[in-house]
Amino acid sequence: MSPVNKRAEKAKQTRLRMLRAAGELFVERGYGATPLQDIADRAGVAVQTIYFTFRNKRNLLKEVVDTAIAGDDEPVATMDRQWFRDALAEETAQAHLRAHIAGTRQVLERVAAIVEVLRVAAATDPEVVDLWPKGEDPRYTVQAATAKSLVTKPGARADLSVDHAADVLFGLLSPELYLLLVRDRGWTPDQWEQWAYDTLRAQLVS
């Protein structure tokens, strides 16, 4: 590996370390109660490195959320991710639904707790909301794309509309409901996945 590539890889690993430390501390303590110095200490960097990389705490939170959703720091949208495309490629509504829920579970395991942190942060710091573009919820956009494909496949309920399917997917696969059942009620992720599949199958598949 060339010196340039080594430096780039080191910078990438440092960035990921800071994001991981920030995510852990935001979940443990909350956004408002977590100083950047504590994040720097856990990541093993100088606090100036955080400022240089992210500029401020709000931008750091946005990067934590975006990375949690994606699973990495690559600029690839959810609908371009391999798990999502593989689910779309399934030939029946039932198989598509099962694959979509399995992939969504992996996202929720990473992102549900940090979404709750974001909700609380936005309530106390309105400028946090401005970090994301206004308009349709990106999570709804993903579920609507799923619904549009699913309703055309063999096994989908004949009376099922795209809008209704998207709304049901959006509601039942929400991070809030995942946290309620897994964190608050003690379900395992496996139990949540099976329940989500059974419930949505009854709603969407004939």
Side-chain angles (χ1 to χ4, degrees), residues 36-52:
L36 287 180
Q37 183 62 60
D38 288 2
I39 296 170
D41 291 344
R42 180 168 293 195
V45 300
V47 72
Q48 289 84 357
T49 304
I50 294 180
Y51 283 113
F52 178 79

Side-chain angles (χ1 to χ4, degrees), residues 9-206:
E9 180 61 24
K10 183 178 179 181
K12 179 179 180 179
Q13 292 306 316
T14 300
R15 180 186 182 89
L16 290 174
R17 225 169 42 247
M18 291 186 286
L19 289 170
R20 185 164 52 249
E24 292 170 354
L25 287 169
F26 287 157
V27 170
E28 290 171 16
R29 304 179 187 175
Y31 172 76
T34 303
L36 287 180
Q37 183 62 60
D38 288 2
I39 296 170
D41 291 344
R42 180 168 293 195
V45 300
V47 72
Q48 289 84 357
T49 304
I50 294 180
Y51 283 113
F52 178 79
T53 306
F54 301 103
R55 299 201 309 277
N56 57 51
K57 190 176 177 182
R58 294 187 190 97
N59 286 335
L60 175 58
L61 175 62
K62 183 181 188 302
E63 291 288 340
V64 168
V65 174
D66 290 347
T67 302
I69 292 170
D72 54 47
D73 62 345
E74 299 299 323
V76 180
T78 297
M79 289 190 291
D80 293 324
R81 294 274 165 177
Q82 193 62 50
W83 74 264
F84 187 84
R85 297 174 68 170
D86 287 346
L88 286 181
E90 293 287 356
E91 295 184 357
T92 67
Q94 184 170 329
H96 185 179
L97 183 62
R98 184 175 286 281
H100 181 69
I101 292 170
T104 300
R105 167 192 165 173
Q106 293 177 12
V107 175
L108 289 174
E109 285 184 296
R110 296 191 303 266
V111 80
I114 200 67
V115 167
E116 178 67 10
V117 170
L118 177 61
R119 184 187 66 79
V120 175
T124 58
D125 183 356
E127 291 185 37
V128 166
V129 179
D130 296 333
L131 294 172
W132 283 269
K134 298 295 188 292
E136 187 174 81
D137 188 326
R139 196 171 64 79
Y140 184 83
T141 301
V142 170
Q143 303 303 350
T146 297
K148 185 176 180 180
S149 175
L150 189 144
V151 301
T152 67
K153 293 179 177 178
R157 281 178 45 174
D159 60 345
L160 186 62
S161 71
V162 172
D163 286 346
H164 181 75
D167 288 347
V168 172
L169 289 164
F170 183 69
L172 287 180
L173 300 181
S174 68
E176 294 83 3
L177 187 52
Y178 180 87
L179 282 178
L180 175 67
L181 296 175
V182 175
R183 181 192 65 189
D184 298 343
R185 299 307 307 157
W187 287 24
T188 66
D190 282 344
Q191 287 175 311
W192 175 88
E193 183 177 338
Q194 187 61 51
W195 169 83
Y197 174 71
D198 291 342
T199 304
L200 286 166
R201 183 181 60 183
Q203 291 284 318
L204 306 178
V205 179
S206 59

